[in-house]
Each structure stands twice: as structure tokens, then as C-alpha cells.
Amino acid sequence: MKREEIKPYLIEKLKAENCLWSYDQSSIKDIDDDVLIELVMIYLDIEEINMLFQLFSKKKVKEAWLRNVVAQGERYYNLNRFFAWYYFDVKNPPRYIKSMATRMLNKKSVA
């Protein structure tokens, strides 16, 4: 799939999974990159998650994951362990996730 086809494809997949129900249909194509990354990582399959790395840099995906998924704490603990190990080569996923979740929560409480 060509790079310019990936974002519309991912948006259509999210629509099919009913993940964008709260969005105005005319503005869905302008969805924020961080929100797109978060929703794909939480609701879609590994094939679509892999597409994120074709569309965005690994650094951008990781930052969005930390801010939006890891920061949700225990809710996605097992999913975050997998992402840490599989995509981001983290040596000790449980410790890393706990540390990063705490850091993200502290950043939000300061802001």
C-alpha cells in the first residue's frame, strides 16, 4: 500500500469498528495524528499497527503511545507490555511501563 493510502485506510478500518462514532463525519479525515495512533494501537490488529510505522516515524508512534495509551495505566497493561517488547525493544517492559505511566501522569498533573 502506498504511504498516502494508509491514513484513509486506517480511518475506514476505525469507522468499521465503530471507534469514531463521536466524530463529525466531515472532520474525520482531519483526525489528529496522536489520536489516530492511539485508536489504531488500542482497537485494530497488528497489520494495521504495523502500518503506523510506514506512515509515521518510530519516534512519533512511541511518543503518542506513551502520552495516550501508557498514560491510561492499568487499563491497557498487557497491551502496553506487548508494545514495549515487540515494537520498542524495551528490556524490562513491566518496569518501563510503570515508570512511564507515572511520568506521563505527573506531566498531566503539572500542566
Side-chain angles (χ1 to χ4, degrees):
M1 182 175 297
K2 293 179 184 170
R3 190 173 190 274
E4 63 271 5
E5 297 172 338
I6 294 173
K7 188 171 183 177
Y9 173 80
L10 293 175
I11 290 170
E12 286 304 313
K13 290 287 281 191
L14 289 166
K15 282 170 68 174
E17 294 291 324
N18 206 27
C19 299
L20 300 173
W21 61 270
S22 65
Y23 286 83
D24 177 29
Q25 295 302 303
S26 63
S27 67
I28 287 178
K29 68 182 184 323
D30 301 321
I31 192 169
D32 182 71
D33 292 344
D34 274 13
V35 173
L36 179 66
I37 292 167
E38 173 187 0
L39 294 175
V40 168
M41 292 184 96
I42 292 172
Y43 296 109
L44 297 183
D45 293 323
I46 200 159
E47 295 83 21
E48 290 82 24
I49 294 167
N50 289 340
M51 289 179 182
L52 290 174
F53 294 92
Q54 293 176 283
L55 189 58
F56 306 111
S57 70
K58 185 175 183 177
K59 180 181 179 188
K60 183 172 181 81
V61 173
K62 186 175 184 179
E63 288 171 354
W65 167 65
L66 289 171
R67 272 192 307 272
N68 301 318
V69 185
V70 171
Q72 294 187 44
E74 292 292 317
R75 184 173 187 189
Y76 297 113
Y77 180 74
N78 288 333
L79 191 60
N80 284 324
R81 282 183 44 204
F82 171 73
F83 291 147
W85 167 76
Y86 188 78
Y87 288 108
F88 304 115
D89 304 314
V90 173
K91 300 294 182 234
N92 188 334
R95 185 171 10 147
Y96 179 80
I97 291 164
K98 182 175 170 80
S99 168
M100 296 311 289
T102 301
R103 183 179 297 170
M104 293 298 122
L105 290 172
N106 287 339
K107 279 185 179 181
K108 286 183 180 185
S109 66
V110 170

